[in-house]
Amino acid sequence: MSVLPFDHLNNNVILNEHQYGFQSEVSTEKSSYMLLNEILTALNNKQMVGGIICDLHKAFDCINHAMLLEKMKFYGVSGKFYNVVKSYLDGRYQKVILSHNNGIQSTWERIKQGVPQGSILGPIFFLIYINNLPNLASIGTKIHLYADDTSIIVTSPNVENFETKIDNIFGVINNWFKVNQLILNYSKTNYLQFNMKNSWDYDLKLNYQGNYIKSSSNTKFLGLIIDDSILWKAHIDQLMSKLNTACFVIRTVQAVMSPETLRMVCFAYIHSIMSYGIIFGGNQPYSDKIFKIQKRVIESSQIQE
C-alpha cells in the first residue's frame, strides 16, 4: 500500500526538495553535504552564518489526525486510499491499566494524535505532515529536513541584518510548530555560530517567548558531530573512541578466528565506522589518527589486501 502514496508524491513532485528523509536514492550523507555546502559557501563569501539544530519532542506521536487528513486532501490524496487511511486513523481508543489485581485503570479515550514510527505508512504520513515547513524560509535562510530532524541555516553580510533574519525565522518556525501541534524541545535545540579563523566573533542569545536555546561549539547531526569551525576535531575524537574499542575486539577474537573471518569482521565493524562521513573530514589533519588505528587493526588481524 505504501507504494501508492509514494508514487503519487513523486510523480506529482509534491515532496519538498529540502526533505531528505524516507526516500530512495537519498542518504544522510547527501543531507549532510547540502547543509555543510550551504555553511561553507557562506563562510567563503565572508558572511555571518548561524545554524539552529532543532529537536522535536516525540514528533511522530504529535501528528494530529484531523490535520493530517486535511493535508493529504490538499496534496491530492483522495479516493479509496484516502478512505482507507481515514478508517485506519479513526475510531481508535486506548486506556492505561496500572494493576489488574486492584482494578486501577483509566477510562477509554479516543486517539487523536500519533502515527506508528516503525510502520511502513508512518514515515509517509510524517513527510506529508511536515512537507510545507521549508517553504517558511526567506532570502538568506534555508530549512533542511531529514524526516523530523530540522536544521535552519541563516546567512547575512552584516550583524544587524543577521539578527533580524534569525529572530524572524525562529519566531516563524515556532509559530508553525505551535499551529501544527509539534513541540520544540528547547533544552535539546542547539545554536551554532559558524566561523573561520579571523572571521566573525559574535555571541547571540536566541529565544522565543522567554524560551532560550543554548549556544554550543558543536552538535550532533545525522551521526556526525559538526563543530562551529568545521574542523571535525570533535567528530574524529568520537571516532577514535569507537575505533579503539573495535581494535580491542579484533585483538580479543584474533586467536579464535581465521584471517578470512577477521577480514569480514573488520569490514562489517570497523570499515563502516570509518567510512561514514569520511568525505567531509577525511582531509583534516586530525584524521591521521584514524588511519593509524586502521593500520594497527589490519596488522593485528593479519588481513592482507
Side-chain angles (χ1 to χ4, degrees):
M1 183 181 291
S2 65
V3 176
L4 297 176
F6 258 129
D7 283 346
H8 174 76
L9 296 173
N10 291 328
N11 293 340
N12 293 282
V13 198
I14 292 173
L15 287 180
N16 198 291
E17 63 177 328
H18 299 295
Q19 172 62 266
Y20 299 93
F22 304 128
Q23 300 179 64
S24 60
E25 301 181 3
V26 180
S27 66
T28 55
E29 286 188 313
K30 181 175 181 179
S31 177
S32 300
Y33 166 78
M34 297 303 292
L35 182 80
L36 290 165
N37 184 63
E38 186 78 23
I39 296 168
L40 291 172
T41 299
L43 289 175
N44 288 335
N45 292 330
K46 298 182 179 180
Q47 291 188 315
M48 294 188 67
V49 187
I52 306 171
I53 312 301
C54 300
D55 181 270
L56 293 176
H57 178 72
K58 297 183 178 180
F60 279 71
D61 295 334
C62 293
I63 293 179
N64 181 277
H65 293 172
M67 296 180 70
L68 172 62
L69 292 171
E70 286 299 316
K71 292 189 180 195
M72 290 179 66
K73 287 196 292 186
F74 176 80
Y75 291 120
V77 178
S78 59
K80 291 183 178 180
F81 180 76
Y82 175 85
N83 292 330
V84 169
V85 172
K86 190 173 186 298
S87 175
Y88 172 72
L89 296 175
D90 283 350
R92 290 179 174 269
Y93 292 80
Q94 68 179 10
K95 69 176 180 178
V96 177
I97 300 175
L98 297 180
S99 174
H100 288 283
N101 297 328
N102 52 23
I104 300 177
Q105 60 184 6
S106 68
T107 58
W108 286 102
E109 294 291 340
R110 185 179 177 181
I111 302 174
K112 299 179 181 179
Q113 292 178 300
V115 295
Q117 189 169 358
S119 66
I120 295 175
L121 288 174
I124 302 174
F125 293 155
F126 190 83
L127 292 184
I128 293 173
Y129 196 80
I130 204 171
N131 191 55
N132 69 320
L133 176 58
N135 297 337
L136 301 177
S138 57
I139 297 175
T141 64
K142 286 286 181 66
I143 299 175
H144 295 261
L145 299 176
Y146 190 91
D148 61 328
D149 289 322
T150 306
S151 305
I152 308 165
I153 301 299
V154 179
T155 61
S156 177
N158 60 73
V159 174
E160 292 77 14
N161 187 256
F162 180 80
E163 287 183 346
T164 301
K165 282 184 178 180
I166 201 163
D167 282 338
N168 286 343
I169 190 63
F170 194 54
V172 167
I173 201 171
N174 271 280
N175 288 332
W176 189 93
F177 287 147
K178 186 176 181 179
V179 169
N180 289 272
Q181 299 184 18
L182 296 176
I183 303 171
L184 183 63
N185 191 336
Y186 294 99
S187 63
K188 294 184 178 180
T189 296
N190 291 325
Y191 171 74
L192 273 73
Q193 183 67 49
F194 294 100
N195 58 79
M196 289 183 173
K197 188 177 181 181
N198 298 325
S199 64
W200 302 92
D201 184 14
Y202 179 67
D203 183 27
L204 177 68
K205 304 296 183 183
L206 193 60
N207 80 96
Y208 176 75
Q209 296 182 350
N211 295 298
Y212 284 83
I213 62 173
K214 61 182 178 181
S215 296
S216 178
S217 59
N218 62 71
T219 188
K220 290 185 178 180
F221 179 78
L222 300 179
L224 304 173
I225 298 181
I226 299 177
D227 60 86
D228 55 10
S229 299
I230 320 294
L231 294 176
W232 299 102
K233 186 177 185 304
H235 180 71
I236 291 171
D237 286 343
Q238 177 185 254
L239 284 185
M240 289 283 293
S241 177
K242 291 181 178 180
L243 290 172
N244 280 322
T245 301
C247 186
F248 173 78
V249 171
I250 292 295
R251 290 180 180 275
T252 302
V253 301
Q254 180 182 12
V256 295
M257 287 187 179
S258 66
E260 292 76 15
T261 304
L262 281 173
R263 182 185 178 88
M264 287 191 295
V265 172
C266 184
F267 272 93
Y269 188 16
I270 296 176
H271 182 73
S272 61
I273 295 174
M274 285 190 57
S275 60
Y276 182 71
I278 197 170
I279 60 172
F280 304 121
N283 64 340
Q284 295 295 325
Y286 305 110
S287 62
D288 288 346
K289 299 177 182 179
I290 296 176
F291 298 117
K292 287 179 181 178
I293 292 181
Q294 181 192 34
K295 183 178 180 181
R296 192 166 76 242
V297 170
I298 293 174
E299 290 175 348
S300 66
S301 58
Q302 298 180 349
I303 298 174
Q304 302 295 325
E305 295 291 340

